[in-house]
Coordinates of all heavy atoms in Angstrom, one line a residue:
M56 N 146.5 140.0 89.5 CA 145.8 138.7 89.2 C 144.5 138.8 89.9 O 144.4 139.2 91.1 CB 146.7 137.6 89.8 CG 146.2 136.3 89.3 SD 147.1 134.8 89.9 CE 148.7 135.1 89.5
T57 N 143.4 138.3 89.2 CA 142.1 138.3 89.8 C 141.6 136.9 90.1 O 142.0 136.0 89.4 CB 141.1 139.0 88.9 OG1 141.0 138.3 87.7 CG2 141.5 140.5 88.6
K58 N 140.8 136.8 91.1 CA 140.2 135.4 91.4 C 139.1 135.2 90.5 O 138.3 136.1 90.2 CB 139.8 135.4 92.8 CG 140.9 135.4 93.8 CD 140.4 135.3 95.2 CE 141.5 135.4 96.2 NZ 141.1 135.3 97.6
S59 N 138.9 134.0 90.0 CA 137.8 133.7 89.2 C 136.5 133.6 90.1 O 136.5 133.1 91.2 CB 138.0 132.3 88.5 OG 138.0 131.3 89.4
S60 N 135.4 134.1 89.5 CA 134.2 134.1 90.3 C 133.5 132.8 90.1 O 133.4 132.3 88.9 CB 133.3 135.3 89.9 OG 132.9 135.2 88.6
K61 N 133.0 132.3 91.1 CA 132.2 131.0 91.0 C 130.7 131.4 90.9 O 130.2 132.2 91.6 CB 132.5 130.1 92.2 CG 133.9 129.6 92.3 CD 134.0 128.7 93.5 CE 135.5 128.3 93.6 NZ 135.7 127.4 94.8
T62 N 130.1 130.7 90.0 CA 128.6 130.9 89.9 C 127.9 129.9 90.8 O 128.3 128.8 90.9 CB 128.2 130.7 88.4 OG1 128.5 129.4 88.0 CG2 128.8 131.7 87.5
K63 N 126.9 130.4 91.4 CA 126.0 129.5 92.2 C 124.8 129.1 91.4 O 124.2 129.9 90.8 CB 125.6 130.3 93.5 CG 126.8 130.6 94.4 CD 126.3 131.3 95.6 CE 127.5 131.6 96.5 NZ 127.0 132.3 97.7
T64 N 124.5 127.9 91.5 CA 123.3 127.3 90.9 C 122.4 126.8 91.9 O 122.8 126.2 92.9 CB 123.7 126.2 89.9 OG1 124.3 125.2 90.6 CG2 124.5 126.7 88.7
A65 N 121.1 127.1 91.7 CA 120.1 126.6 92.6 C 119.8 125.1 92.4 O 119.8 124.7 91.2 CB 118.8 127.4 92.5
I66 N 119.7 124.4 93.4 CA 119.4 123.0 93.3 C 117.9 122.8 93.5 O 117.3 123.3 94.4 CB 120.1 122.1 94.4 CG1 121.6 122.3 94.2 CG2 119.7 120.7 94.3 CD1 122.4 121.6 95.3
A67 N 117.3 122.2 92.5 CA 115.8 122.1 92.5 C 115.4 121.0 93.5 O 116.1 120.0 93.6 CB 115.3 121.7 91.1
S68 N 114.3 121.2 94.1 CA 113.7 120.2 95.0 C 113.2 119.1 94.2 O 112.6 119.2 93.1 CB 112.6 120.9 95.8 OG 111.9 119.9 96.5
P69 N 113.4 117.8 94.6 CA 112.9 116.7 93.9 C 111.4 116.6 93.7 O 110.9 116.1 92.8 CB 113.4 115.5 94.6 CG 113.8 115.9 96.0 CD 114.1 117.4 95.8
L70 N 110.7 117.2 94.7 CA 109.2 117.2 94.6 C 108.8 118.6 95.0 O 108.3 118.9 96.1 CB 108.6 116.2 95.7 CG 109.0 114.8 95.4 CD1 108.5 113.9 96.6 CD2 108.3 114.2 94.2
P71 N 108.8 119.5 94.0 CA 108.5 120.9 94.3 C 107.1 121.2 94.7 O 106.8 122.1 95.5 CB 108.8 121.7 93.0 CG 108.8 120.6 91.9 CD 109.2 119.3 92.6
S72 N 106.2 120.3 94.3 CA 104.8 120.5 94.7 C 104.5 120.2 96.2 O 103.5 120.6 96.7 CB 103.9 119.7 93.8 OG 104.1 118.3 94.0
Q73 N 105.5 119.5 96.8 CA 105.3 119.1 98.2 C 106.4 119.6 99.0 O 106.9 119.0 100.0 CB 105.2 117.6 98.3 CG 104.1 116.9 97.5 CD 104.1 115.4 97.6 OE1 105.0 114.8 98.1 NE2 103.0 114.8 97.1
A74 N 106.9 120.8 98.7 CA 108.0 121.5 99.4 C 107.5 121.7 100.9 O 106.4 122.1 101.1 CB 108.4 122.8 98.8
G75 N 108.4 121.4 101.8 CA 108.1 121.6 103.2 C 107.5 120.4 103.9 O 107.4 120.3 105.1
S76 N 107.2 119.3 103.1 CA 106.7 118.1 103.8 C 107.8 117.1 103.8 O 108.6 117.0 102.8 CB 105.4 117.6 103.1 OG 105.7 117.2 101.8
S77 N 107.8 116.3 104.8 CA 108.8 115.2 104.9 C 108.4 114.0 104.1 O 107.3 113.9 103.7 CB 109.1 114.8 106.4 OG 107.9 114.1 106.8
K78 N 109.3 113.1 103.9 CA 109.0 111.9 103.1 C 108.0 111.0 103.9 O 107.2 110.4 103.3 CB 110.3 111.1 102.8 CG 111.1 111.8 101.8 CD 112.3 111.0 101.4 CE 113.1 111.7 100.3 NZ 114.2 110.9 99.8
L79 N 108.1 111.1 105.2 CA 107.1 110.3 106.0 C 105.7 111.0 105.9 O 104.7 110.2 105.8 CB 107.5 110.3 107.5 CG 108.7 109.5 107.9 CD1 109.1 109.7 109.3 CD2 108.5 108.0 107.5
D80 N 105.6 112.3 105.8 CA 104.4 112.9 105.5 C 103.8 112.5 104.1 O 102.6 112.3 104.0 CB 104.5 114.5 105.6 CG 104.8 115.0 107.0 OD1 104.5 114.3 108.0 OD2 105.4 116.1 107.1
Q81 N 104.7 112.4 103.2 CA 104.3 112.0 101.8 C 103.8 110.6 101.8 O 102.8 110.3 101.2 CB 105.5 112.1 100.9 CG 105.9 113.5 100.6 CD 107.2 113.6 99.8 OE1 107.5 112.6 99.1 NE2 108.0 114.7 99.9
L82 N 104.4 109.7 102.6 CA 103.9 108.3 102.7 C 102.6 108.3 103.4 O 101.7 107.6 102.9 CB 104.9 107.5 103.5 CG 106.2 107.0 102.9 CD1 107.0 106.2 103.8 CD2 106.0 106.3 101.6
A83 N 102.4 109.0 104.4 CA 101.1 109.1 105.1 C 100.0 109.6 104.2 O 98.9 109.1 104.2 CB 101.2 109.9 106.4
A84 N 100.3 110.6 103.4 CA 99.3 111.1 102.4 C 99.0 110.1 101.4 O 97.8 109.9 101.0 CB 99.9 112.4 101.8
L85 N 99.9 109.3 100.9 CA 99.6 108.3 99.9 C 98.8 107.2 100.6 O 97.8 106.7 99.9 CB 100.9 107.6 99.4 CG 101.7 108.4 98.4 CD1 103.1 107.7 98.2 CD2 101.0 108.6 97.1
L86 N 99.1 106.8 101.8 CA 98.3 105.8 102.5 C 96.9 106.2 102.8 O 95.9 105.4 102.9 CB 99.0 105.4 103.8 CG 100.3 104.7 103.6 CD1 101.0 104.6 105.0 CD2 100.2 103.4 103.0
A87 N 96.7 107.5 103.0 CA 95.3 108.0 103.3 C 94.4 108.1 102.1 O 93.2 108.3 102.2 CB 95.5 109.4 103.9
K88 N 95.0 108.1 100.9 CA 94.2 108.1 99.7 C 93.2 107.0 99.6 O 93.5 105.9 100.1 CB 95.1 108.1 98.4 CG 95.8 109.4 98.2 CD 96.6 109.3 96.8 CE 97.3 110.6 96.5 NZ 98.0 110.5 95.2
D89 N 92.1 107.1 98.9 CA 91.2 106.1 98.6 C 91.9 105.0 97.8 O 92.5 105.2 96.8 CB 90.0 106.6 97.9 CG 88.9 105.5 97.8 OD1 88.7 104.8 98.8 OD2 88.1 105.5 96.8
G90 N 91.9 103.8 98.3 CA 92.6 102.7 97.7 C 94.0 102.5 98.2 O 94.7 101.5 97.8
G91 N 94.5 103.4 99.0 CA 95.9 103.3 99.5 C 97.0 103.4 98.5 O 96.8 104.1 97.5
A92 N 98.1 102.8 98.7 CA 99.3 102.9 97.8 C 100.0 101.6 97.7 O 100.0 100.8 98.7 CB 100.2 104.0 98.3
S93 N 100.6 101.3 96.6 CA 101.4 100.1 96.4 C 102.8 100.4 96.9 O 103.2 101.6 97.0 CB 101.4 99.7 95.0 OG 102.1 100.6 94.2
L94 N 103.6 99.4 97.0 CA 105.0 99.6 97.4 C 105.7 100.4 96.3 O 106.5 101.3 96.6 CB 105.7 98.2 97.6 CG 107.1 98.3 98.1 CD1 107.2 98.9 99.5 CD2 107.7 96.8 98.1
A95 N 105.4 100.1 95.0 CA 106.0 100.9 93.9 C 105.6 102.4 94.0 O 106.5 103.2 93.7 CB 105.6 100.3 92.6
D96 N 104.4 102.7 94.4 CA 103.9 104.1 94.5 C 104.8 104.8 95.5 O 105.2 105.9 95.3 CB 102.5 104.2 94.9 CG 101.5 103.6 93.9 OD1 101.8 103.6 92.7 OD2 100.4 103.3 94.3
M97 N 105.0 104.1 96.7 CA 105.7 104.7 97.8 C 107.2 104.9 97.5 O 107.8 105.8 97.9 CB 105.4 103.9 99.1 CG 104.0 104.0 99.6 SD 103.7 103.1 101.1 CE 103.6 101.5 100.5
M98 N 107.7 103.9 96.8 CA 109.1 103.9 96.4 C 109.4 105.1 95.4 O 110.4 105.8 95.5 CB 109.6 102.6 95.7 CG 109.7 101.5 96.7 SD 110.0 99.9 95.9 CE 111.5 100.2 95.0
G99 N 108.4 105.3 94.5 CA 108.5 106.4 93.5 C 108.4 107.8 94.2 O 109.1 108.7 93.8
A100 N 107.6 107.9 95.2 CA 107.4 109.2 95.9 C 108.6 109.6 96.7 O 108.8 110.7 96.9 CB 106.1 109.1 96.7
T101 N 109.2 108.6 97.3 CA 110.3 108.9 98.2 C 111.7 108.6 97.7 O 112.7 109.1 98.3 CB 110.2 108.0 99.5 OG1 110.2 106.6 99.1 CG2 108.9 108.2 100.2
A102 N 111.8 107.9 96.6 CA 113.1 107.5 96.0 C 113.8 106.6 97.0 O 115.1 106.5 97.0 CB 114.0 108.7 95.7
W103 N 113.1 105.8 97.8 CA 113.6 104.9 98.7 C 113.5 103.5 98.1 O 112.7 103.2 97.3 CB 112.9 104.8 100.1 CG 113.1 106.0 101.0 CD1 114.1 107.0 100.9 CD2 112.3 106.4 102.1 NE1 114.0 107.9 101.9 CE2 112.9 107.6 102.6 CE3 111.2 105.9 102.7 CZ2 112.4 108.2 103.8 CZ3 110.7 106.5 103.8 CH2 111.3 107.6 104.3
Q104 N 114.4 102.6 98.7 CA 114.3 101.2 98.3 C 113.1 100.5 99.0 O 112.7 101.0 100.0 CB 115.6 100.5 98.5 CG 116.7 101.0 97.6 CD 118.0 100.2 97.8 OE1 118.1 99.3 98.6 NE2 119.0 100.6 97.1
A105 N 112.7 99.3 98.6 CA 111.6 98.6 99.2 C 111.8 98.4 100.7 O 110.8 98.6 101.5 CB 111.4 97.3 98.4
H106 N 112.9 98.0 101.1 CA 113.1 97.7 102.5 C 113.0 98.9 103.4 O 112.6 98.9 104.5 CB 114.5 96.9 102.8 CG 115.7 97.8 102.5 ND1 116.2 97.9 101.2 CD2 116.5 98.5 103.3 CE1 117.3 98.7 101.3 NE2 117.4 99.1 102.5
S107 N 113.4 100.1 102.8 CA 113.3 101.3 103.6 C 111.9 101.8 103.7 O 111.5 102.3 104.8 CB 114.1 102.4 102.8 OG 115.5 102.1 102.8
V108 N 111.1 101.6 102.7 CA 109.7 101.9 102.7 C 109.0 101.0 103.8 O 108.2 101.5 104.6 CB 109.0 101.8 101.3 CG1 107.5 101.9 101.5 CG2 109.5 102.8 100.4
R109 N 109.2 99.8 103.7 CA 108.6 98.8 104.7 C 109.0 99.2 106.1 O 108.2 99.1 107.0 CB 109.0 97.4 104.3 CG 108.3 96.9 103.1 CD 108.5 95.4 103.0 NE 108.2 94.9 101.7 CZ 109.1 94.6 100.7 NH1 110.4 94.8 101.0 NH2 108.7 94.3 99.5
G110 N 110.3 99.5 106.3 CA 110.8 99.9 107.6 C 110.1 101.2 108.1 O 109.7 101.3 109.3
A111 N 109.9 102.2 107.2 CA 109.2 103.4 107.6 C 107.7 103.1 107.9 O 107.2 103.7 108.9 CB 109.3 104.4 106.5
L112 N 107.1 102.2 107.2 CA 105.7 101.8 107.5 C 105.6 101.2 108.9 O 104.7 101.6 109.7 CB 105.2 100.8 106.5 CG 104.9 101.3 105.1 CD1 104.5 100.2 104.2 CD2 103.9 102.4 105.0
S113 N 106.4 100.3 109.2 CA 106.3 99.6 110.5 C 106.9 100.4 111.7 O 106.4 100.3 112.8 CB 106.9 98.2 110.4 OG 108.3 98.3 110.3
G114 N 107.9 101.1 111.4 CA 108.6 101.8 112.5 C 108.1 103.2 112.7 O 107.3 103.5 113.7
A115 N 108.3 104.1 111.8 CA 108.0 105.5 112.0 C 106.5 105.8 111.9 O 106.0 106.6 112.7 CB 108.7 106.4 111.0
L116 N 105.8 105.2 111.0 CA 104.4 105.5 110.9 C 103.5 104.6 111.8 O 102.6 105.2 112.5 CB 103.9 105.3 109.4 CG 104.6 106.2 108.4 CD1 104.1 105.9 107.0 CD2 104.3 107.7 108.8
K117 N 103.7 103.3 111.9 CA 102.9 102.5 112.7 C 103.2 102.6 114.2 O 102.3 102.9 115.0 CB 103.0 101.0 112.2 CG 102.0 100.1 112.8 CD 102.1 98.7 112.1 CE 101.0 97.8 112.6 NZ 101.0 96.5 111.9
K118 N 104.5 102.4 114.5 CA 104.9 102.5 115.9 C 105.0 103.9 116.4 O 104.6 104.3 117.5 CB 106.1 101.7 116.2 CG 106.0 100.2 116.0 CD 107.3 99.5 116.1 CE 107.1 98.0 115.7 NZ 108.4 97.3 115.7
G119 N 105.7 104.7 115.6 CA 106.0 106.1 116.0 C 104.8 107.0 116.0 O 104.6 107.8 117.0
R120 N 104.0 107.0 115.0 CA 102.9 107.9 114.9 C 101.6 107.3 115.3 O 100.6 107.9 115.3 CB 102.8 108.4 113.4 CG 103.9 109.3 113.0 CD 103.6 110.0 111.7 NE 104.7 110.8 111.3 CZ 104.7 111.6 110.2 NH1 103.7 111.6 109.4 NH2 105.8 112.3 109.9
G121 N 101.6 106.0 115.5 CA 100.4 105.2 116.0 C 99.4 105.0 114.9 O 98.2 104.8 115.2
L122 N 99.7 105.1 113.6 CA 98.8 104.8 112.5 C 98.5 103.4 112.4 O 99.4 102.5 112.6 CB 99.3 105.4 111.2 CG 99.6 106.9 111.1 CD1 100.2 107.2 109.8 CD2 98.4 107.7 111.4
N123 N 97.2 103.0 112.1 CA 96.8 101.6 111.9 C 97.0 101.3 110.4 O 96.1 101.6 109.6 CB 95.4 101.4 112.4 CG 95.0 100.0 112.4 OD1 95.8 99.1 112.2 ND2 93.7 99.7 112.5
I124 N 98.1 100.8 110.0 CA 98.4 100.5 108.6 C 98.1 99.1 108.4 O 98.5 98.2 109.1 CB 99.9 100.8 108.3 CG1 100.2 102.3 108.6 CG2 100.2 100.4 106.9 CD1 101.6 102.7 108.4
V125 N 97.3 98.9 107.3 CA 96.9 97.5 106.9 C 97.3 97.3 105.5 O 97.5 98.3 104.7 CB 95.4 97.3 107.0 CG1 94.9 97.4 108.5 CG2 94.6 98.3 106.2
S126 N 97.5 96.0 105.1 CA 97.8 95.7 103.7 C 96.9 94.6 103.3 O 96.4 93.8 104.0 CB 99.3 95.2 103.6 OG 99.4 94.0 104.2
Q127 N 96.6 94.7 102.0 CA 95.7 93.7 101.4 C 96.1 93.5 99.9 O 96.6 94.4 99.3 CB 94.2 94.0 101.5 CG 93.9 95.4 101.0 CD 92.4 95.7 101.3 OE1 91.6 94.8 101.3 NE2 92.1 97.0 101.5
S128 N 95.9 92.3 99.4 CA 96.2 92.0 98.0 C 94.9 92.3 97.2 O 93.9 91.6 97.4 CB 96.6 90.6 97.9 OG 97.0 90.3 96.6
I129 N 95.0 93.2 96.3 CA 93.9 93.6 95.4 C 94.4 93.3 94.0 O 95.3 93.9 93.5 CB 93.5 95.0 95.6 CG1 93.1 95.3 97.0 CG2 92.4 95.4 94.6 CD1 92.8 96.8 97.3
E130 N 93.7 92.3 93.3 CA 94.0 91.9 92.0 C 95.5 91.6 91.8 O 96.1 92.1 90.8 CB 93.6 93.0 91.0 CG 92.1 93.2 91.0 CD 91.6 94.3 90.0 OE1 92.4 94.8 89.2 OE2 90.4 94.7 90.1
G131 N 96.1 90.9 92.7 CA 97.5 90.5 92.6 C 98.5 91.5 93.1 O 99.7 91.3 93.0
E132 N 98.0 92.7 93.5 CA 99.0 93.7 93.9 C 98.7 94.1 95.4 O 97.6 94.3 95.8 CB 98.7 95.0 93.1 CG 99.7 96.2 93.4 CD 99.4 97.4 92.6 OE1 98.2 97.8 92.5 OE2 100.4 98.0 92.2
R133 N 99.8 94.1 96.2 CA 99.7 94.4 97.6 C 99.5 95.9 97.7 O 100.2 96.7 97.2 CB 100.9 94.0 98.3 CG 100.8 94.3 99.8 CD 101.1 93.2 100.8 NE 100.7 91.9 100.5 CZ 99.6 91.3 101.0 NH1 98.8 91.9 101.8 NH2 99.3 90.0 100.7
R134 N 98.4 96.4 98.4 CA 98.1 97.8 98.7 C 98.1 98.0 100.2 O 97.6 97.2 100.9 CB 96.7 98.1 98.1 CG 96.5 97.8 96.7 CD 97.2 98.7 95.7 NE 96.7 100.1 95.8 CZ 97.2 101.0 95.0 NH1 98.2 100.8 94.1 NH2 96.8 102.3 95.1
Y135 N 98.7 99.1 100.5 CA 98.8 99.5 101.9 C 97.9 100.8 102.1 O 97.9 101.6 101.3 CB 100.3 99.9 102.3 CG 101.2 98.7 102.2 CD1 101.8 98.4 100.9 CD2 101.5 97.9 103.2 CE1 102.7 97.4 100.8 CE2 102.4 96.8 103.1 CZ 103.0 96.6 101.9 OH 103.8 95.5 101.7
S136 N 97.3 100.8 103.3 CA 96.4 102.0 103.6 C 96.3 102.2 105.1 O 96.7 101.3 105.9 CB 95.0 101.8 103.0 OG 94.4 100.6 103.5
I137 N 95.8 103.3 105.5 CA 95.5 103.6 106.9 C 94.1 103.2 107.2 O 93.1 103.7 106.5 CB 95.7 105.1 107.2 CG1 97.2 105.5 106.9 CG2 95.3 105.4 108.6 CD1 97.4 107.0 107.0
A138 N 93.9 102.3 108.1 CA 92.6 101.8 108.5 C 91.9 102.7 109.4 O 92.6 103.4 110.2 CB 92.7 100.4 109.1
A139 N 90.6 102.7 109.4 CA 89.8 103.6 110.3 C 90.0 103.1 111.7 O 90.4 101.9 111.9 CB 88.3 103.5 109.9
A140 N 89.9 103.9 112.7 CA 90.2 103.6 114.1 C 89.3 102.5 114.6 O 89.7 101.7 115.4 CB 90.0 104.9 114.9
D141 N 88.1 102.3 114.0 CA 87.2 101.2 114.5 C 87.5 99.9 113.9 O 86.9 98.9 114.3 CB 85.8 101.6 114.3 CG 85.4 101.8 112.8 OD1 86.4 102.1 112.1 OD2 84.2 101.7 112.5
Q142 N 88.4 99.7 113.0 CA 88.7 98.4 112.4 C 89.7 97.6 113.2 O 90.7 97.9 113.6 CB 89.2 98.6 111.0 CG 88.1 99.1 110.0 CD 88.6 99.1 108.6 OE1 89.8 99.1 108.3 NE2 87.7 99.3 107.7

């Protein structure tokens, strides 16, 4: 009697273009872009729910990394960005 061989399949990375970067790094990169990012942008990039994105903004990025994160409403949409150190 022989044992059946199991095939191994590779699991694809959800964001292959950003392999090696953490989700917090991805959020920081989105916030650093000109115009910042909306909550929907950040949710799509991380596959997190809204409350998790907001928690990461205030906890890990603002308090933990010391980033100056600001939000403003532009044309009815809330946009988050990293403010310059002098603001």
Side-chain angles (χ1 to χ4, degrees):
M56 194 183 302
T57 61
K58 292 183 181 178
S59 63
S60 63
K61 294 182 181 178
T62 58
K63 293 182 181 179
T64 57
I66 298 174
S68 170
L70 299 170
S72 63
Q73 298 177 354
S76 65
S77 70
K78 289 185 178 185
L79 291 176
D80 292 336
Q81 293 172 24
L82 286 180
L85 285 172
L86 295 170
K88 286 184 177 181
D89 190 33
S93 68
L94 185 62
D96 294 337
M97 293 182 282
M98 288 172 60
T101 60
W103 288 347
Q104 293 183 1
H106 67 275
S107 299
V108 172
R109 288 190 196 101
L112 290 176
S113 66
L116 295 178
K117 192 171 185 176
K118 294 176 186 172
R120 294 188 182 185
L122 298 177
N123 186 12
I124 298 173
V125 296
S126 70
Q127 54 186 327
S128 182
I129 300 173
E130 296 179 11
E132 180 182 45
R133 179 130 324 258
R134 305 287 297 180
Y135 298 85
S136 61
I137 299 173
D141 61 335
Q142 288 184 348

